[in-house]
Structures are given as C-alpha cells and as structure tokens.
C-alpha cells in the first residue's frame, strides 16, 4: 500500500504524529497530497493555485518549523490570506489578469507556517467572498465531493471540497456571514466560526468587523489543536477575545456537564426544508440522550426580520464596495463594472450609496442585536442548536446571478442561509457539525452557538457528539 493510501483519511493530528514518530517524512506526506490532488481534483476544481514544487522544497528543508503540525499538507483560501510569492486573486478576474502576487504572508498564514504546515495550494473562492457558492467567473465552479452537480458552498468552498475529498486533512477558511459553516455543512465537515477577536486579522485587515478566520477539518480535535496554534491578537488589534483557560485541545473529551440548550427547529423568516428540520431535531434528541436539557426555545430577537436585515445588509454592501476599491488599489486603477461580476457590481453599487448615517444606523442595529442575543445567554442558556442551513446543498448555478438579473442568486440565498449571519454580527462562536446526511447522500450540518468567548464549551460538546455519533467513517463517492 502506498503512503497516500495509508494517510489520506487520517486527520492532521494523526499525520503529525506519524512525522514525530519517524514513520513518515514531511516530503512523503506532501508528495502523497500532491499525488491525490492530481488524481482527484480535476473533478472538483478546489485548488486553483498549485505550489507543488515550493511545497516539496519546504518539506525537505531543514528550516521547516518544528511546530505541532510539522510536515502536514495544508491549503489556504485565496481570499485576503496572502502567502508570500504566491498568486492572490480574491476570486477576481481583474487580479488574475494582472497576475497579482502577494509580497508577504499575513500574521495568520505566518502562524500556519510556524505550526509546521506545508502549503500545497490556494483554494477557489467566489469573487470577494460575497456569495455562499464557489463559482467565480475567474476560475470556474468548485464541485461538491458528495455530488458533482451540487455546490460545495462558499465562500470557503474550495477549502471544504479539498478537505472533504481527502486532498488535505485541514484547510484555511474565513467566515463573514457563514463562509466557514456553510461549506462545512454542505461538504460534511467540522467548521468553527471563532469569536470576534479570537484570531488576529493583521496586519492589513480589521478584527472588529463581520469576518473571522479559522479552518475546516474532518475532526473536532484538529479544529481545537489548530486553534491552539493560531489564536491570539497581534499588535494594535481592534478586538481581542478573552484568552482560554487552558489549551483548546484539552476540551476534547472533557466532560461538558449538563447543559441547558435551546433548540430552534424552524426558520423564523420563511420555510425550512424537511431534511434540515429532521437533522436538528435528531441532534436535539441526541443531546437529550447525553443528559442535556433541551427545550424549543431561542432568542426572541431572531424572530425580528427587520432588525436582523438592518444589522447586516448595509454593512455587507459597504464591504463589497470596499473590496472593489481595495482590488483597484492593488492593480493601480479604479475598477469599473466591466471588471467584476454582475452581483459584485450590484452589491458594491448599493454600498456606494450608503451614507455615513445609513452605515451608523446599521452598526446601531448590530449593537442592538448583539445585546439582545447576549441577554438570552445571560438568562442561563448554555447553547443554541439550529440547522446550519435552511436547505440541503443547492445545485450549481442556483445561487449566482446573471447579467440580466444580478441579484437572482441573492434572493435564493435568503432561503439557504437564514441561521448563520446573526452570529457574525454578534461576534459569538458557532460550529457546524456533520451529524446528518439526507436520502440523496448529501450532508446536512447542525449549528451550535455559544456565548461570546466560549469556544471551549463548543469544542467540549462537539467532541461529545462526535464520540456519540462518529462521522469519520463516511467517505464521499468521489475519489475513494
């Protein structure tokens, strides 16, 4: 049996243990990942910038850092996560056309390197990460390993597809409205959106906004151990989460105690697909069987559609405008409508019309939502469990616009993503777990949300659920 056959479905922790034990070398691990990418990714199109020769050179170098994941292959999302000397297109044809190359790592990608990870490539993402499907005009669609006709989600769809298909054991992801949890749900992975300020976004981006960075993984222990290697502020960070009481990896297997858990098994703003309702109700029963108190309760603010949209929409469109302006600065000219996709221009145009007062009102609505959510946890609830998504993974093409109707996909998105954005606004940690598959064989994730700063509790309960209902033996039909 080849090295690739031996390790392909091991998690990052197990692969690192093999390296430390001398049973496999970093070069062998990286070459195994490369071989599998070349064999499988032609069907997925998850990795758009391959850096195979660089990765092999780094794996064989005596300067490879002796971190906890020394020699383990890894992918980085091609969105605001520069890796020195590599292309960074942010899903944009305009940056692709000029061949933009990042001059340096940012602080997070430097931490991944210090942990010993070896970057084998950069993964596909929608333009500026604005939509929950990975189908950019610049690079083409990424397909779901569980069904090539369905989306892998977005905006971290490339990383999620790569991990779910066994190309690498873990991959960088980011989440400004659900972009870790959405593809984790659609691809059958663990996806933790960390608390605002848990991981630095420096030196170029701001921690106080909607987006955070972490990873998608196949195991809870990888999610915890990679967080241990990367959490913490950088100089001048605008938001800093409280430090953990002990290493996150020590929460895996720790007794969570009897928790008071609210269950939201309906979409307050519309319909909920029966598969998603069945998944969250099954999760509620599983939590009850583990000794927790589960009741159909949720923060009342989640029933207030106007407050929710007001806290997110204006900020999202302003971010789109900022993204277009930022790309123009990298290129050296202002971008026009012809330089971006129709939905990007539509959102950015709305953002350009948002006044300072409009944005201030959106931020005030965000503050009210955050306070209202925090009060529910302060009343004695430990966790909220919801479906991650409102529907199973849509087919490719359903969530993107057209030149004639650029917002067509956005309208459909409201039904798919009714549960994730609130917690980007509040800054609370939330995790999607692969607890269900439907009759079509498509993954259906379940989301658990904790109070601000309580990743420790999420990891404890996630590990308990993983032990009670393991998912590691599930394999997508693609490239087994």
């Amino acid at each position: 049996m080849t090295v690739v056959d031996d390790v392909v479905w091991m998690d990052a922790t197990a692969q690192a243990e093999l390296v430390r034990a001398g049973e496999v070398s970093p070069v062998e691990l990286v070459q195994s990942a490369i071989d599998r990418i070349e064999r499988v990714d032609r069907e997925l199109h998850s990795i758009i910038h391959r850096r195979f020769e660089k990765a092999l050179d780094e794996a064989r170098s005596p300067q490879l850092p002796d971190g906890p994941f020394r020699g383990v292959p890894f992918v980085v999302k091609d969105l605001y996560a520069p890796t020195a000397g590599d292309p960074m297109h942010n899903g944009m044809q305009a940056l692709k056309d000029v061949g933009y190359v990042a001059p340096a790592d940012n602080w997070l990608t430097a931490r991944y390197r210090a942990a010993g990870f070896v970057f084998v490539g950069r993964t596909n993402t929608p333009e500026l990460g604005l939509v929950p499907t990975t189908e950019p005009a610049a690079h083409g669609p990424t397909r779901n390993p569980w069904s090539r006709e369905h989306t892998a989600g977005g905006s971290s769809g490339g990383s999620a597809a790569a991990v779910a298909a066994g190309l690498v054991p873990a991959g960088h992801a980011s989440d400004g409205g659900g972009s870790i949890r959405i593809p984790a749900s659609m691809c059958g992975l663990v996806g933790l959106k960390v608390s605002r300020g848990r991981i630095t976004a420096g030196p170029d981006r701001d921690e106080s906004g909607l987006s955070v960075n972490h990873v998608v993984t196949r195991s809870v222990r990888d999610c915890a151990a990679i967080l241990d290697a990367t959490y913490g502020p950088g100089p001048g960070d605008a938001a800093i989460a409280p430090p953990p009481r002990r290493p996150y990896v020590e929460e895996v297997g720790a007794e969570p105690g009897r928790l008071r858990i609210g269950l939201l098994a309906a979409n307050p703003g519309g319909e909920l697909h029966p598969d998603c309702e069945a998944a969250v109700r099954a999760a509620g029963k599983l939590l009850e069987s583990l000794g927790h108190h589960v009741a159909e309760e949720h923060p009342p603010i989640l029933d207030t559609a106007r407050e929710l949209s007001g806290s997110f929409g204006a900020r999202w469109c302003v971010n789109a405008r900022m993204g277009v302006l930022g790309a123009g600065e990298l290129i050296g000219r202002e971008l026009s409508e012809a330089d971006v996709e129709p939905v990007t221009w539509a959102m950015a145009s709305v953002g350009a019309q948002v006044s300072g007062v409009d944005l201030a009102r959106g931020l005030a609505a965000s503050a009210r939502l955050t306070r209202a959510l925090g009060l529910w946890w302060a009343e004695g609830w430990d966790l909220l469990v919801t479906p991650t998504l409102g529907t199973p993974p849509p087919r490719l093409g359903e969530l993107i616009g057209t030149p004639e109707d650029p917002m067509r996909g956005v309208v459909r998105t409201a039904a798919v993503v009714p549960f994730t954005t609130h917690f980007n606004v509040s800054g609370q940690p939330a995790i999607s777990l692969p607890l269900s598959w439907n009759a079509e064989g498509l993954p259906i994730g379940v989301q658990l949300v904790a109070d601000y700063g309580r990743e420790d509790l999420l990891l404890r309960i996630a590990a308990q659920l993983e032990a009670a209902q393991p998912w590691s033996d599930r394999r997508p039909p693609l490239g087994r």
Side-chain angles (χ1 to χ4, degrees), residues 237-392:
D237 279 6
I240 300 174
R245 288 170 281 189
R246 59 180 178 178
Y248 287 113
V249 76
E250 293 183 13
E251 306 298 345
V252 178
E255 174 57 47
R258 187 172 190 263
L259 302 180
R260 189 177 180 216
I261 300 173
L263 174 71
L264 177 56
N267 177 2
E271 295 183 359
L272 177 63
H273 193 283
D275 291 346
C276 300
E277 181 180 352
V280 74
R281 290 195 180 280
K285 290 185 181 301
L286 179 57
L287 288 163
E288 284 184 327
S289 75
L290 294 170
H292 303 294
H293 170 74
V294 180
E296 290 208 35
E297 300 283 349
H298 62 274
I301 189 67
L302 297 183
D303 297 325
T304 311
R306 183 176 179 182
E307 192 76 14
L308 298 177
S309 62
S311 67
F312 188 80
R315 296 177 67 181
W316 193 252
C317 289
V318 169
N319 284 344
R321 179 61 177 159
M322 293 292 290
V324 171
L325 291 174
E329 291 172 1
L330 293 179
I331 293 171
R333 64 174 176 83
E334 186 171 346
L335 299 188
S336 69
E337 183 175 2
D339 290 311
V340 299
E341 295 178 28
V343 68
T344 301
W345 190 254
M347 289 188 188
S349 297
V350 172
Q353 299 303 313
V354 173
S355 70
V357 172
D358 292 335
L359 182 57
R361 287 170 64 88
L363 291 169
S366 295
R368 290 193 296 272
L369 172 60
T370 300
R371 296 285 190 199
L373 288 170
L375 283 170
W376 188 80
W377 267 265
E379 289 170 357
W381 295 94
D382 296 301
L383 296 172
L384 176 67
V385 58
T386 79
T388 304
L389 302 175
T391 72

Side-chain angles (χ1 to χ4, degrees), residues 195-214:
S195 298
R196 177 176 296 127
R198 176 62 65 206
I199 297 174
T200 184
D204 299 319
R205 295 182 66 77
D206 179 7
E207 299 76 20
S208 66
L210 297 168
S211 188
V212 297
N213 289 268
H214 191 34

Side-chain angles (χ1 to χ4, degrees), residues 39-315:
R39 189 169 72 249
V40 172
D41 199 43
R42 67 188 70 180
E43 299 182 57
L44 296 178
H45 194 54
S46 67
I47 298 174
I48 54 172
H49 305 309
R50 298 182 174 188
R51 58 186 314 278
F52 294 167
E53 291 305 317
K54 287 182 179 180
L56 289 169
D57 287 344
E58 290 160 6
R60 67 172 62 97
S61 170
Q63 276 74 51
L64 179 66
D66 190 22
F69 293 99
R70 182 173 181 270
V72 175
F74 189 79
V75 290
V76 177
K77 179 181 178 181
D78 191 39
L79 181 69
Y80 303 129
T83 51
D86 298 326
M88 187 179 74
H89 296 163
N90 296 342
M92 304 188 77
Q93 186 67 45
L95 288 172
K96 181 180 178 182
D97 286 344
V98 300
Y100 181 78
V101 171
D105 292 348
N106 70 2
W107 293 343
L108 176 58
T109 55
R111 290 178 184 183
Y112 289 136
R113 290 193 201 268
F117 283 117
V118 178
F119 306 157
V120 295
R122 295 177 60 86
T123 56
N124 204 11
T125 187
E127 189 168 71
L128 296 175
L130 293 175
V131 294
T133 183
T134 301
E135 304 177 53
H139 292 288
T142 292
R143 298 181 181 276
N144 193 315
W146 296 91
S147 167
R148 285 175 287 172
E149 304 307 314
H150 290 79
T151 177
S155 62
S156 306
S159 287
V163 175
L167 309 186
V168 290
H172 163 253
S174 58
D175 191 318
S179 291
I180 288 175
R181 292 158 289 160
I182 294 165
S185 177
M186 292 188 185
C187 292
L189 300 175
V190 176
L192 171 65
K193 183 201 84 68
V194 297
S195 298
R196 177 176 296 127
R198 176 62 65 206
I199 297 174
T200 184
D204 299 319
R205 295 182 66 77
D206 179 7
E207 299 76 20
S208 66
L210 297 168
S211 188
V212 297
N213 289 268
H214 191 34
V215 290
V216 285
T217 64
R218 293 196 293 269
S219 69
V220 174
R221 68 176 184 173
D222 274 2
C223 181
I226 296 171
L227 186 54
D228 279 327
T230 55
Y231 81 84
D237 279 6
I240 300 174
R245 288 170 281 189
R246 59 180 178 178
Y248 287 113
V249 76
E250 293 183 13
E251 306 298 345
V252 178
E255 174 57 47
R258 187 172 190 263
L259 302 180
R260 189 177 180 216
I261 300 173
L263 174 71
L264 177 56
N267 177 2
E271 295 183 359
L272 177 63
H273 193 283
D275 291 346
C276 300
E277 181 180 352
V280 74
R281 290 195 180 280
K285 290 185 181 301
L286 179 57
L287 288 163
E288 284 184 327
S289 75
L290 294 170
H292 303 294
H293 170 74
V294 180
E296 290 208 35
E297 300 283 349
H298 62 274
I301 189 67
L302 297 183
D303 297 325
T304 311
R306 183 176 179 182
E307 192 76 14
L308 298 177
S309 62
S311 67
F312 188 80
R315 296 177 67 181

